[in-house]
Amino acid sequence: MTEIEKLKSIIHSSERIVFFGGAGVSTESGIPDYRSVDGLYNQKYKYPPEIMLSHSFFVENTEEFYDFYKNKMICLEAMPNYAHIFLAELEKQGKLTAVITQNIDGLHQKAGSQRVFELHGSVHRNFCTKCGAAYSAEFIKNSVGVPLCEKCGNVVKPDVVLYEEQLDGETVSGAVHAIEQADTLIIGGTSLAVYPAAGLIDYFHGKNLVLINKSPTNRDNLADLVIREPIGETFRGLSFK
């Protein structure tokens, strides 16, 4: 039995699948990941990306933060790839109960997924730091310099989890509950190197743990099935039926 056939069999026999995904899920949509050779963290900038995407940098160097954020973090032209589409279809069939993502691009929702836990927030939600007025990603992208609230004139901040900030408690609780209830957990497109998000998989006590990632992870030895291929290509080898 091939790896694809094994995965197909696992999905067929499962009733409560949860998908946990990282940056590799969106690379096939043209959005760069972080830690690969061509990833964001291996490119040259004035400051390391970890610094520019920190809460301190946002507060102290807001204009430089937005110069980087608009150019590198907002990819409005990106479209869902086969991984996003497959997962949305799996949810429609009643097999997938939740998508848990470390991505902030909103492509799962764009593909049609309804129950998505965005651990690191979303570029599509932005709020005034004073009055709380909401703004779109298009507003941020098209603003000149620092985006300012049209109602009170204060800085607008993306609803993304920056370095030095905590994950949203309600989102984490929902993700943990979904994982605890799952009979199959499929992890894809993530090196499982980012905590506390990666630690959520410790709550899984179901039957099938599947890891789909181009490079090894520190949980491969615990998995029932490991596939070393891009997530979109892997799902393309499956049928919806």
Side-chain angles (χ1 to χ4, degrees):
M1 186 181 291
T2 67
E3 292 175 339
I4 290 296
E5 288 171 338
K6 289 178 184 176
L7 179 57
K8 190 179 292 188
S9 175
I10 287 172
I11 290 174
H12 180 73
S13 64
S14 301
E15 296 180 351
R16 297 182 308 281
I17 300 171
V18 168
F19 178 80
F20 181 100
V25 176
S26 292
T27 52
E28 291 167 81
S29 294
I31 297 177
D33 63 7
Y34 297 89
R35 291 173 172 79
S36 69
V37 174
D38 299 317
L40 206 59
Y41 289 177
N42 287 314
Q43 299 177 30
K44 299 297 182 184
Y45 303 104
K46 185 177 178 181
Y47 303 96
E50 297 97 321
I51 298 296
M52 289 190 284
L53 293 174
S54 69
H55 179 82
S56 298
F57 196 85
F58 172 79
V59 172
E60 297 165 8
N61 304 274
T62 313
E63 192 164 349
E64 283 189 90
F65 168 87
Y66 267 116
D67 183 51
F68 177 80
Y69 180 81
K70 290 179 195 178
N71 287 311
K72 297 297 182 180
M73 308 305 291
I74 304 179
C75 305
L76 298 180
E77 70 285 351
M79 296 299 292
N81 61 54
Y82 201 83
H84 302 104
I85 294 167
F86 179 83
L87 291 166
E89 183 63 28
L90 214 56
E91 184 183 45
K92 285 180 187 174
Q93 293 181 7
K95 286 217 169 252
L96 185 100
T97 59
V99 168
I100 301 166
T101 180
Q102 299 176 83
N103 298 335
I104 60 175
D105 50 48
L107 290 180
H108 284 292
Q109 291 92 331
K110 202 169 187 177
S113 290
Q114 299 295 311
R115 194 167 186 236
V116 182
F117 295 100
E118 297 172 305
L119 296 176
H120 296 154
S122 172
V123 299
H124 297 284
R125 296 188 300 271
N126 305 274
F127 301 99
C128 173
T129 52
K130 184 175 183 181
C131 74
Y135 291 93
S136 67
E138 288 79 7
F139 175 85
I140 302 295
K141 185 81 170 179
N142 297 327
S143 62
V144 178
V146 177
L148 300 176
C149 179
E150 295 178 334
K151 297 182 179 180
C152 72
N154 279 271
V155 175
V156 176
K157 182 182 182 296
D159 186 21
V160 299
V161 180
L162 302 176
Y163 287 96
E164 304 168 351
E165 295 180 343
Q166 292 186 332
L167 303 185
D168 176 70
E170 189 173 331
T171 302
V172 171
S173 294
V176 167
H177 181 72
I179 290 173
E180 287 178 331
Q181 299 300 311
D183 57 9
T184 293
L185 177 62
I186 301 176
I187 300 171
T190 174
S191 60
L192 294 175
V194 178
Y195 284 81
L200 296 184
I201 69 171
D202 292 332
Y203 291 94
F204 176 66
H205 304 293
K207 185 178 179 182
N208 305 297
L209 176 61
V210 179
L211 283 173
I212 307 170
N213 199 52
K214 290 194 292 184
S215 58
T217 77
N218 58 13
R219 302 299 182 98
D220 286 3
N221 62 316
L222 301 177
D224 300 286
L225 176 62
V226 176
I227 299 178
R228 292 264 187 275
E229 299 292 342
I231 186 89
E233 282 184 25
T234 300
F235 284 159
R236 193 177 290 278
L238 304 171
S239 67
F240 288 134
K241 304 301 180 185

